[in-house]
Amino acid sequence: MAAYSSLTSPICTWPVANYISSVAYQKNHNTLNSSMFQYPKRHKKLMSRSGCRNINGYSSNTIAVSLQPEEELKTEKQQRKVAVTGMGVVTPLDHHPDVFYSNLLEGVSGISEIKSFDCSKFPTRIAGEIKSLSTDGWVSPKHAKRADKFMLYILTAGKKALADGGVTEQVNEEFDKIKCGVLIGSALGGMKTIHEGIEALKISLKKVHPFTIPYVTTNIGSAVLAMDLGWMGPNYSISSACATGNSCILNAAHHIIKGDADIMLCGGSDAAIIPAGLAGFVACRALSGRNKDPTKASRPWDTDRDGLVVGEGAGVLLLEEMEHAKRRGANIYAEFLGGSFSSDAYKIVEPHPDGMGIVSCIENALTQSGVAREDVNYINAHASSTPVGDLIEYQALMHCFGQNPELKVNSTKSMIGHLLGASGAVEAVATVMAIKTGWLHPNLNLENPDERVDGEVLVGSKKERLDIKVALSNSFGLGGHNSSILFAPYKQL
């Protein structure tokens, strides 16, 4: 990796220009009124940092970091560890991590008949649909009224992760906002907003909402959440289909390890349960047809599996540099060890038959994280209840970890369906909760395991105890995107 280039004065003036424009915005607009973390407060911390100042209001320490030799940066990176200090979810089972995981442990299914629109003419009429969600206190009234659901899920889960991490308004005011970032992605973005825009255009051009384009973009949730909090560090979104959540988590962790940020909100969100979304998955012939018994539809590794069940929701982790978390007395749920990506480079909707893309992703994750494969004894698999995909992933897992007698594998999708770009993040929350509680949730509907899998490796129909050493969470996406991330219990030295 090349050494960082030095910061020049013209580049440094950009944040100041941004500050000036945002102050002007504050004077002329009624900004967000969420009861948690008011938007304009970011600037107070920006202008009150300690240390020597240059003419742009930034400390010389900030510039000194950018001038460090590459060797020193490598040493610094090795010293920076990443902690999970907060979690937030919006799911078909519940919107609080503890209740969500308790339902998973009890084998409760969140899959039911779709109620948000008339789907009587569709061959599949079931989903992991969120029936109700209160955004009161989390989302400003103007956004709550007109924003796309995927964005509302991001804002709600994101702020719940902060609350879970003990980040109050007062604590947030003490943060260095330049070192706080948001990286929450989406596979499909504002599908409902696109649909509404098309319907409005059929009536008149004047009926198209001026925020149609902003509310469609996958980055809008990260952007508005950062505005609410005043966080001015890394801020963008990643879209890698159903690997989106893991992609965002891993990149957010890299920002912390590199020193770009001390704290990051990261994860994924999707809300594709609309007529066009359901029709698209039907056309792919990817969905289960068990309309008469929705809770039995998602059945990873079971002989009678007949396709995935689409779901919706969001998952957000609060990642924090370990020493930063300790200094503020944060509750550390787990340590993020690392991860990796790879590509099958094969077909859009099919994984490569040999599974080597998955194998290389897992092995790279282990190598880069310094984790021995025998230490990985729990895997939250991608397994989405498809006849081909479940088996290919299983075989890849056995290639990497088949010699580990303690290995246990389950799939959260058996109870909530496939949450698309949110799946990796929500399953990361489930993985961290497994570490926290010492309990693994069951594989719902694993009544007749495929003869090509080892039933002893898969968690059964009841929750199981496990002292987790290292946990792996997989997410794979259309187009051959593979991602694996690793967590471990936090051990205080």
Side-chain angles (χ1 to χ4, degrees), residues 143 147-148 150-151 189-190 193 209-221 223-224:
H143 286 310
D148 196 277
F150 96 96
M151 174 179 162
T193 300
H209 197 281
F211 276 78
T212 295
I213 294 302
Y215 282 156
V216 165
T217 59
T218 60
N219 71 297
I220 192 64
V224 173

Side-chain angles (χ1 to χ4, degrees), residues 12-86:
C12 292
T13 62
W14 181 88
V16 177
N18 185 60
Y19 168 75
I20 295 170
S21 64
S22 59
V23 171
Y25 181 92
Q26 179 186 349
K27 291 180 180 178
N28 291 284
H29 295 266
N30 182 20
T31 53
L32 295 174
N33 294 315
S34 173
S35 62
M36 189 175 186
F37 308 121
Q38 301 299 317
Y39 161 66
K41 294 182 179 179
R42 60 180 165 186
H43 308 298
K44 185 186 297 183
K45 183 64 180 177
L46 173 65
M47 303 307 293
S48 63
R49 283 190 195 83
S50 60
C52 299
R53 307 283 169 181
N54 62 21
I55 59 173
N56 293 317
Y58 286 85
S59 68
S60 58
N61 290 338
T62 301
I63 293 179
V65 169
S66 68
L67 296 175
Q68 284 180 286
E70 184 177 4
E71 292 75 20
E72 292 182 32
L73 285 172
K74 287 181 179 179
T75 302
E76 181 179 319
K77 290 178 189 177
Q78 293 171 355
Q79 295 174 344
R80 289 176 68 89
K81 296 183 178 181
V82 180
V84 180
T85 57

Side-chain angles (χ1 to χ4, degrees), residues 233-246:
N235 184 280
Y236 56 101
S237 68
I238 294 172
S239 183
S240 52
C242 305
T244 292
N246 275 9

Side-chain angles (χ1 to χ4, degrees), residues 7 41 46 195 206 218 282 336 386 423 429 443 456 473:
L7 293 177
K41 294 182 179 179
L46 173 65
H195 172 74
K206 294 181 180 179
T218 60
V282 167
F336 178 86
T386 60
S423 60
V429 170
N443 281 307
E456 294 300 314
S473 182

Side-chain angles (χ1 to χ4, degrees), residues 156-369:
T156 304
K159 291 181 181 178
K160 285 189 174 185
L162 284 177
D164 183 59
V167 181
T168 63
E169 288 191 54
Q170 182 177 357
V171 171
N172 188 49
E173 280 300 299
E174 296 303 313
F175 287 161
D176 182 347
K177 303 299 176 63
I178 293 291
K179 291 286 190 176
C180 301
V182 184
L183 209 175
I184 305 173
S186 176
L188 297 171
M191 287 196 70
K192 183 172 181 288
T193 300
I194 294 174
H195 172 74
E196 291 172 347
I198 293 171
E199 292 302 308
L201 185 58
K202 291 178 181 179
I203 301 171
S204 169
L205 180 61
K206 294 181 180 179
K207 292 291 184 179
V208 178
H209 197 281
F211 276 78
T212 295
I213 294 302
Y215 282 156
V216 165
T217 59
T218 60
N219 71 297
I220 192 64
S222 288
V224 173
L225 184 53
M227 292 174 196
D228 280 5
L229 304 176
W231 286 14
M232 301 178 70
N235 184 280
Y236 56 101
S237 68
I238 294 172
S239 183
S240 52
C242 305
T244 292
N246 275 9
S247 297
C248 292
I249 292 169
L250 184 51
N251 276 275
H254 283 171
H255 282 300
I256 293 174
I257 293 168
K258 290 196 309 178
D260 300 335
D262 291 328
I263 190 165
M264 294 283 299
L265 282 168
C266 54
S269 175
D270 260 317
I273 303 176
I274 65 172
L278 184 62
F281 281 103
V282 167
C284 285
R285 300 179 181 178
L287 300 181
S288 169
R290 293 175 181 268
N291 297 308
K292 294 183 179 180
D293 198 354
T295 63
K296 296 286 188 180
S298 186
R299 42 198 318 115
W301 301 296
D302 189 81
T303 299
D304 298 322
R305 65 193 184 279
D306 66 334
L308 63 85
V309 178
V310 69
E312 62 180 349
V316 177
L317 295 183
L318 182 65
L319 297 185
E320 196 164 350
E321 194 276 321
M322 189 68 75
E323 296 306 314
H324 186 277
K326 290 179 182 178
R327 284 195 298 271
R328 73 177 185 89
N331 178 34
I332 299 174
Y333 288 114
E335 182 178 350
F336 178 86
L337 300 182
S340 186
F341 311 114
S342 73
S343 172
D344 281 349
Y346 180 60
K347 292 185 178 180
I348 292 176
V349 296
E350 294 180 28
H352 199 291
D354 66 12
M356 290 313 295
I358 299 173
V359 170
S360 66
C361 182
I362 293 172
E363 291 183 341
N364 286 338
L366 295 173
T367 299
Q368 294 176 19
S369 305

